[in-house]
Each structure stands twice: as C-alpha cells, then as structure tokens.
Amino acid sequence: MLRIEDLQLAVALAQAPSLSAAARALNVTPPALSMRLRKLESTLDLALAVRTARRLRLTPEGERFAREAAALLAGLEALPQSFQRNDRKLTGTLRIAAPFGYGRQRIAPMLARFARLHPSLGLQLDLRETPWPDRHDSDVVIHIGVVRDSSWVARTLAFNERWLCASPGYLRTHGAPQEPRDLLKHCCISIRENEEDVTLWHFHRPAAVAAQAADAAQRQKARETVRIVPAYTCNDGTVAREWAEQGLGLVLRSEWDAAESIAQGTLVRVLDDWELDSAPVTALVPTRQGRTARVQALLQFFEKSLGKPPAMRR
C-alpha cells in the first residue's frame, strides 16, 4: 500500500539534484531517505533511481512514477478548493514559473496586484531561463512561444509578434536591409534560449499579400529562410535588445519587449513588410489542476490584465 509520504519522496527526488538535497527538502537524514527509497522500490518491484557517488538520477520508471505522484498530490491539495463557494477567500499557495525577462517586467507586477486582491493566498514566483518543460512542480507555467509535445493544458493569454529591429545609428551607418537575404551582410545579434535553432530566421509575407500571388513561383517568393551568422550572442533578451539600441546590430525581439524602445525611438523596425513566426504568451496548467479556484482566478486575472485574445484566434 502506497502512502502520501511515498508520493512526496518521489516528487522530492525528481526535483533535487542529489539524495542529500532531497533529504533536506523532506527534513530527514540521507540514510533515512535512502532506506525509504529502497523500501518503496521493493514495494513497487521497480528500480526508481540510479545512485552514484555525486548525484542521483531517476530511471524512466522513476520519472513516470514521480510525474504521477506529483499529479496525485496536486489533486489532493486541490480537493478542498473544489468545494469552496465562489465567495470564499482564496487560500493555500500558488506556484508560478516564468521566463526571466517577461517574468520581471510583466508577471511580477501583475502578481503584486493579484496578491493585494487575495491577501490570504500565498504566491511563489520562480523565474528561470527555460521555465518549460522543466517546471513540472508549478501550478502555472508562463511560456513565450509555441508549445510542442505537452500533456499540459495551454491557455493563450496574449498574442506576441516578433520584430526585427535596429538602432537609427546603426541604420545610418550600414543602411537598412531590403530583403531577408540582405541580413547576411549585416551584424546580427542572436539570443540563445532553450535548445531552439536561433540562427535560422523564417520570414513570410502577410497572408493577404501571399494570397494575391498568381502562381506557385510567386507564392514561393512569399517565404524566405535565412541562416544568420551572429556577430554577437547572449542568453538574455534584455541584454541583446540593449546591444541593438547601442548600435551593435540587428536583433529579433518579441513585441512585448521591443514596443517601448520603438515608441521612444531607440529602435526602429526593419523589414516590417515581412512577418516572422509569432511567439504567443501562454499559460500552462496540469490537467488535474486546471479547475482549482486559485488557478482559475489567476488565469482570469492574467487574461483581464493582458487583454484576452479573441476566441477566433485561440
């Protein structure tokens, strides 16, 4: 018979880099935790983890058990919430994970306002370079871009185009590219994030323009892919944008980050008669948590704050 402590053990092992770190998270000694792990493995007749002198790694069976354990614990935690009336105070703790830049500039201020509306609710904000897919212990994960291969429920909060930008000074010195292929002659700034191929930039004409193409050859010209050779690379989007503002080159940035700089005149959009793949702002929630009162309240607050996208575009 499995116990709640067994589920908590599996989740702690999945989140910790070592047995000792998992022991600290559960407030037990490493030998006691090791004994509990062996007992659990014996009960399941499965090897859940591979131990070395320096680290601990879950087996595929261990990873599956940890995911199922996290879902069961989340369901138990959410059960009281499901019986609350709408007029009752939100209680408990909400764990939110978000990317560094967007999390600092947009999510953190919204959470501050949300906290004032619900003073009995605890909030935990975890800012990471790649909050998805490695934050499975969160209640809500904010993701920028297309979500691939996920069993979580995705909810679009805001649309977000990507713009190619440069400073007025750079354009005065080097000129503005007229076609995507012209980027091969320019200094480009690349943002290294996740494991995406960030040096392959896909351009396409707006749908209305492409639809007017008379034949297949013209329609082919409506799309162009360029493999840039970055002159500068950084894993922080804010730094990359600031480099572009200082005249180092062209940068591909999200609308949410570049709009203010463009309004202030420190950046200018280039090749704006072409479109790039969009990167919508998405909230991801585990299927078993999507209907809890506190998660639903947070999602509704985000949608109201960001402007809920029209239903036809979801």
Side-chain angles (χ1 to χ4, degrees):
M1 177 68 70
L2 292 177
R3 302 174 300 168
I4 290 180
E5 290 79 5
D6 296 326
L7 305 181
Q8 294 169 336
L9 169 63
V11 172
L13 291 175
Q15 297 172 2
S18 65
L19 193 68
S20 58
R24 287 193 298 271
L26 294 175
N27 196 28
V28 298
T29 65
L33 189 64
S34 183
M35 184 180 300
R36 284 175 53 183
L37 175 57
R38 287 196 298 270
K39 184 177 179 180
L40 177 57
E41 289 178 323
S42 176
T43 300
L44 297 172
D45 194 23
L46 288 172
L48 299 178
V50 177
R51 310 159 187 80
T52 65
R54 304 189 61 175
R55 65 187 301 270
L56 176 140
R57 176 177 58 83
L58 291 182
T59 64
E61 293 79 11
E63 292 177 352
R64 178 188 171 189
F65 185 79
R67 287 195 299 270
E68 294 294 331
L72 288 171
L73 289 172
L76 288 173
E77 183 182 358
L79 188 59
Q81 288 280 333
S82 66
F83 289 97
Q84 284 190 349
R85 300 195 313 271
N86 292 333
D87 60 346
R88 289 191 58 181
K89 292 181 179 179
L90 294 179
T91 59
T93 300
L94 262 177
R95 298 162 299 214
I96 304 100
F100 279 121
Y102 194 81
R104 280 193 298 263
Q105 294 188 35
R106 300 295 176 91
I107 297 301
M110 285 192 290
L111 286 179
R113 298 195 299 273
F114 186 73
R116 288 193 289 270
L117 294 174
H118 305 284
S120 299
L121 181 66
L123 296 174
Q124 295 179 5
L125 176 60
D126 187 5
L127 299 182
R128 297 173 66 89
E129 181 181 350
T130 55
W132 182 260
D134 54 332
R135 295 310 293 168
H136 287 187
D137 59 328
S138 301
D139 299 305
V140 179
V141 176
I142 304 300
H143 178 75
I144 308 294
V146 177
V147 179
R148 297 181 178 88
D149 190 24
S150 170
S151 61
W152 285 32
V153 176
R155 191 158 170 173
T156 302
L157 300 178
F159 294 105
N160 175 49
E161 294 182 1
R162 293 197 300 167
W163 295 341
L164 188 61
C165 308
S167 71
Y170 176 89
L171 297 177
R172 282 194 299 269
T173 302
H174 301 279
Q178 301 302 308
E179 297 289 337
R181 67 179 70 93
D182 294 342
L183 295 175
L184 298 176
K185 300 179 289 187
H186 282 268
C187 293
C188 294
I189 302 168
S190 175
I191 303 169
R192 186 180 66 254
E193 51 189 358
N194 304 329
E195 296 182 356
E196 297 180 3
D197 190 350
V198 296
T199 63
L200 198 63
W201 292 359
H202 302 280
F203 294 85
H204 54 89
R205 295 290 191 183
V209 175
Q212 295 174 0
D215 54 38
Q218 287 183 311
R219 287 192 292 273
Q220 184 66 26
K221 292 179 181 178
R223 303 188 67 86
E224 192 164 342
T225 298
V226 177
R227 171 74 71 181
I228 65 160
V229 179
Y232 310 98
T233 302
C234 182
N235 69 335
D236 186 286
T238 300
V239 171
R241 173 177 49 77
E242 291 173 349
W243 282 353
E245 290 175 336
Q246 293 160 18
L248 294 186
L250 296 110
V251 70
L252 186 58
R253 282 306 290 145
S254 285
E255 174 187 355
W256 71 264
D257 186 48
E260 184 175 351
S261 298
I262 290 173
Q264 294 175 350
T266 57
L267 285 179
V268 177
R269 285 188 64 185
V270 298
L271 295 179
D272 55 357
D273 54 341
W274 290 80
E275 294 180 350
L276 293 116
D277 295 336
S278 64
V281 180
T282 304
L284 294 155
V285 295
T287 55
R288 292 176 178 84
Q289 286 182 273
R291 296 183 181 179
T292 62
R294 53 178 176 260
V295 169
Q296 286 289 72
L298 180 65
L299 293 179
Q300 291 169 5
F301 181 81
F302 279 163
E303 289 178 341
K304 182 178 179 180
S305 300
L306 293 170
K308 185 175 181 179
M312 68 180 65
R313 298 180 62 187
R314 291 195 65 168

